[in-house]
Every structure is written in C-alpha cells, then in structure tokens.
Amino acid sequence: MVEQAGTARLGDDPRESPDTRFARGWAAAITPTVPSAADLPRGRLEELLAGFAVDLRTALRHDRPTSARRVGRGLVEHGLVSAETVERTIAFVGEHLPTDPLTENKHLIAVLGALAAGFSDALRTHTAQQSGIKSTRSGESVARSDEAKFRAVFQTTALAIAVSDMNGLILDCNEALLAMLDRTTDELVGTVARDLVHPDERDMISRVAQQLATGRGHVRAETRLVRADGEVVDVLVALAMLRDDDGAPAFYVTMIESLDEVRALQAQLVRQSLHDMLTGLANRTQFVGWLEGVAGSKGPATLALVVFDLDGFRVVNDAFGHDVGNLVLTTVARHLRSVFDGIGQLARIGPDEFGVLIRDPADVPTVVALAESAVDLLAEPVWVGEDGIGVTASVGIVVQAARGADAVELLRCVDLTVRWAKDDGKAQWALYDHGRDQRERARMRLAASISGGLEQGDFRVDYEPVHSLADGSLLAVEARLRWNHPTEGLLDPQTLVSLSTCTGMVARLGEWAIGQACADAGRWHAEFGSAAPVLSMDLSARQCQEPELVATVRRALRESGLPAGMLQFELGEQLPALISDDQVDELTFLADHGVRLVLDQVGGGNVPVDRLRRIPLSGVKFQGSPVYGLAEGANRIDESAAVTLLSWTRTLDVPVYAAGVRTEFEARRLAELGVTGAQGPLYGSSWLTFDEVSALLGRP
C-alpha cells in the first residue's frame, strides 16, 4: 500500500486506540512547523492531540462545531500559532478523520470550518492581548526585550492591526494593514479610523464602538473598507477595548482580516479535504458525495460505476519501494484520465483503487469498451531505470437506474463485482449480475450463521456404510457432517464444506464432528464389540494445520472409549502436498498410536509414491473413473486403465477400497481385482442415522 503524499503514516499497532494512532500521525504532520517557543516535546504533543482527536470525533459524529472550535483555540493556547501548522492540521484531519463518509461527510466541512474559525478567533484574541500590553504599559516599565518581541509579532503577523484612541484616532498600525489598504504609515497614523470604512457601513461601526463602551469585551463584525485607489475590500473586523490601570477606557485595538483571503483559504481547505494529494484526483469522500447526488430525483436516469482495483500492487511496493509505487499510481491516474475525461468523474477511492462514475451511459457495451481501453493502457510498463514495471487491474462494472439508488448499495455491488473479476483470474472485467449477487448473499448468510447453528444443535452426523466385497458384511461407516437448517432444510456435506471454508469454521466444525462421531462409534463398539464397524472420516488440510489436532483426536477417543484402531481418517489426494513436515509428523504420531490413514484418490491416476513415503498409509481408496471403467459395456481403454491401476495398487500391500459403486457387475469386477470394501448407490441411496446403523448391526 502506498501512503498518500503529504500525509503522515498512522501507526499500525493493534493494541493502540484509534485516537492514539490518529494523534501520532497528526503530530508527525505538524512537527516541522511547531516553533521552539511552544515547548512541546513529541510525547506531550501526541498526548495533547489525542485529546483534541476526541473533540473532533465528537464534532463530526454529533454535529457539534463548538467541539471543533475548541480544538482551534487549543492550538493557539499551546503556542501552535503558525499558519503552516493550521494548514497541515486541516489537511490531515480532512484526510484521516472521517471513519464513515456516508454518514459523516455532511458534517466534515462544517467541522473543518469550525476548527479554522476557532484558530482564527484565538489568534486575534492572542494578538489583541499582546497589543494591549504594549499600549497600556508605560515605556519605563517595559523591558527592551519585551518591546522587541512585541514589535516583531505586531509587524510580521498576517492580521492587519490598528491601535486607536477613544476618539478613533489611529495611533499605530502594522505592515499588514498598510498592504491591505495600499497606504503608507504617514497616511494612516493620525487619521480617524471611521473614515477608512465605506460610507454605508459607518453607522454600523459606530454602534459596534458603543457596544464596547457599554462593557462588552470584544465585538466581531463584517464590513467594507476603502483602499487608497477607491477599491472596496470585504473584511472581518474584531474590535477590543483596552483599559488603563484604573479601569477607564484607554485604547481600541482593531484586527482586520480580508474575507477574500478567508474565502480563498476555505476553498483551498475544502479542496484538500475532497482530493487525493498524490494524484490530484477526487478522493473517496467526494466520490461518495457524487454517488449520493445521482440518486436524487433530478439526477440522471441511469449510471455506470466502474472500479479499477490494481492486481498485486503490494508486489511493486515490496520490490521497488513506495516512491516507485507512487510513480505507478500517478501513471495509472494519467491513463484513466486520458480515457474518461469528459465522459465520467474519476476518483482515487482506495490505496490502489480508482472509481469512475458515468452519468447516463450510452449502453453497457460502450462502458465495457471504455474499461477495456483503460486496461490496455495500464498494461504499458512504467520504466524505472532498466525495469519496466507493469500492473494489471481487475475491473468491476455496475450499470443500473440512478434515481432512487443507494450509494452504500452501489459501492457494495461494485466491490462484489471486482471480487468476481479477481476470483475469475484477475486482469479482466466483470459485470454486475443481480441474480448471482442474490445467490451469493444467500450463501454468505448461511455461512455467517454456522456458528449459531452449531450452538443451537442444528448439526448432526450421518453415516454411509462400507461393505465387504467378500461377504457383504459391514466393514466401516463413513461419517458425513450435515446441517439441519431451520429454513433451508438438510444441507449436504459438500455445501457445508464450501460454506465453512469461506468463514474459517472448518476447524471448529471438524473438531465437533470428530467428537460426535467418536461418541457414536464408541457406543457401537461397547454394544457390538468386534462386529462394530470402523469409523471413517474425511480429514482436510485445514484440520491438519490445527495445532490441537492430535489433542482433539486423543480426547475424543478417550471420552468415547473407542479404540484408536477403530478410527480411520481419509486424506484427500492433494493433502500431502499441502501440509508441512510438522503436520506430517502429527499424522505419523496418530498412525503410530493405531489410527488408520487412507489416501482418497478421486479420479484415479497413478498413486504418487512420494506421498506414500511421506505418510504411513493404511489403505487407498478409489472413486470415479477407476470404478466406472469396470462397468458393464465400459470403453475398453477405460477398462484397461482401471484394471492396470488396481492391479498395480495391490503391490502396495494395503487394503484397497472403492466408492461410488453402482452395480453388482462393478462390485464383482472390483472384488476380482482385490478391492476389499465398497460403498455407493448399490448399497442404498440414503445415509444412515445412528439408530439406523445400530439397527443394521443388530440384525441376525
């Protein structure tokens, strides 16, 4: 991931609170601008900003601008008075503060404006206090160093300042006021301040002065001043009255700020809060605002939402560093502009993700053609020295009616569509399909509710019988985990495996199934002794990766009273290649203590000898073509392959089993080739419950 230029990287320590990480990033952003006079060590600065972060989040979430104004004032109170400090603060807060732009974006600009207003007010008050100190102290009581410091602040501050007596006669002014009015010191000092005000505003200024005389500490107002060339300047003035040691009115201090500059700053802050600083594109906050805008009754009839998610962009960062990654991102932005400028609104909506909103697209093929053109451009390498760095993108496309649409739902749909493109192999586009979405959502709801179903006892274990091909007796039962869902009915094991894999519940369900199946098999063993069947269960690679696998199995055997030799795990043909040496050692440990391990070869093929060497197998199981090749009337080539495979397998000197056996003819041929046991439709189409297995064992 590439950090956006000009922003500090937030800490990634999960033990820290969000406010602490936010404060660290904020401190990193403004530290170069903090004056030494502020006397704030880095740790104290982060602590201070963490408190401010709470106020800002309160302001954003509850629409309380007073909390944001308090932050602006707090910056000044702690000596953080640099204009660059507040500029960096606004940029950082605008980029990192909103945690949910759909609900908080409408308050963000108000929060930033309130923060800036609080800073400006506090800075004017601070400067006025300094002016009062200078104007009311006698020359004999003021140290020369204090005089020099005040004069430096008075003359260099960006705020225009005038000090006048009680009759409005200007006694002193600074360079900022001279520049604002395009006048000299001689032209201003000694004149009446009221004469600088536009004639239409003079009565209002007189009323403001009267308010100060009645005891108000300071007054703010918008007014107009007249420059030397007659041009009118819109300004915001803050007037304060300073009193002498006896409490009598002594001076007026007036601070003046050009509203044109304030409005320009506000526009700049708004732009910074809505744009990505690296690429210059709109950011996610503004993109969401666009989406919300098209949903109105006056919006377009249709829209197209196209999202480009760069494939494996982390590889670029890891291989070449973030500077090169930033170069690639700016190149991607340039390519996308060349395709979509004048057609759609383009934004960088994630670290390596770009979105385009097209209003009233001509048709779906046109949108697809634009996306393909952009993908072709992205394939062009970016040369850094002798390295030509290229990226691909997975593209999600949503085209639908705009009016009445929901921004949250649109983003969900396009994110899902991007995932489809990635799942299908990356470097391609996918078009949103409502039917597929509904099917996947239903599937995901099922997957997410597995934990609740397990807690409520909706899961059970059924059994598929494995019969001896020699005499038809019951050799084993293969456990099948099933979910008796209250609305979906009985879900088959394959569906359950797929659902549990996508939620990480495989290991938990596997542990429960081992315990339940061993408990059932233990009861059969206690009741029927040597006539009880071996318990066979599938063991997935994910279960093998569980550190507690051996402990789980041993506990299940101990609690159920089932001998280890009566438990058999079936290992999928790919499993030996997916597990580590340590996990192989755990399987070997189980085998050494009597647990049987059978390799399940789906579809046949030669059994890899290296797998047999890695794991101490107790048997091999075939299903698919090795069984169907022995069917009556089967293709001679398929039959020859099946006979050869099963004949070779006998040299391994381990029992061989067959699954999916359909007919007596297949069973007879398998028996002739040395297969020990078989299961499948020939022995019944339904799986057996615990009671049904017990009844089968109890038959004479």
Side-chain angles (χ1 to χ4, degrees), residues 567-641:
L567 175 61
Q568 174 176 288
F569 285 125
E570 296 187 10
L571 313 177
E573 59 182 343
Q574 299 299 326
L575 182 143
L578 299 176
I579 60 178
S580 67
D581 290 340
D582 289 341
Q583 291 151 8
V584 170
D585 291 342
E586 291 189 343
L587 291 178
T588 302
F589 178 88
L590 291 175
D592 290 343
H593 285 74
V595 176
R596 306 181 188 187
L597 303 177
V598 173
L599 185 65
D600 189 352
Q601 286 288 114
V602 179
N606 290 331
V607 180
V609 176
D610 61 327
R611 295 184 190 171
L612 299 179
R613 289 173 178 169
R614 289 192 74 192
I615 299 174
L617 296 176
S618 304
V620 178
K621 176 179 174 180
F622 290 102
Q623 54 185 306
S625 56
V627 176
Y628 303 154
L630 301 177
E632 190 172 8
N635 180 285
R636 293 184 61 185
I637 295 177
D638 292 340
E639 180 184 10
S640 176

Side-chain angles (χ1 to χ4, degrees), residues 97-160:
L97 179 62
T99 56
D100 184 357
L102 289 176
T103 58
E104 297 170 0
N105 179 41
K106 61 183 180 181
H107 302 318
L108 177 59
I109 303 306
V111 168
L112 296 177
L115 190 155
F119 179 88
S120 179
D121 287 348
L123 186 60
R124 280 193 294 268
T125 302
H126 175 75
T127 307
Q129 291 171 346
Q130 295 299 320
S131 299
I133 293 172
K134 192 269 177 183
S135 301
T136 58
R137 288 181 177 175
S138 63
E140 293 78 10
S141 65
V142 179
R144 292 182 179 180
S145 60
D146 289 344
E147 172 71 21
K149 290 178 182 178
F150 168 76
R151 178 54 57 181
V153 171
F154 182 77
Q155 291 296 345
T156 60
T157 182
L159 288 172

Side-chain angles (χ1 to χ4, degrees), residues 439-454:
R439 291 190 297 272
E440 288 206 1
R441 293 189 77 173
R443 182 171 175 270
M444 291 301 103
R445 281 194 293 269
L446 277 176
S449 60
I450 286 177
S451 181
L454 188 60

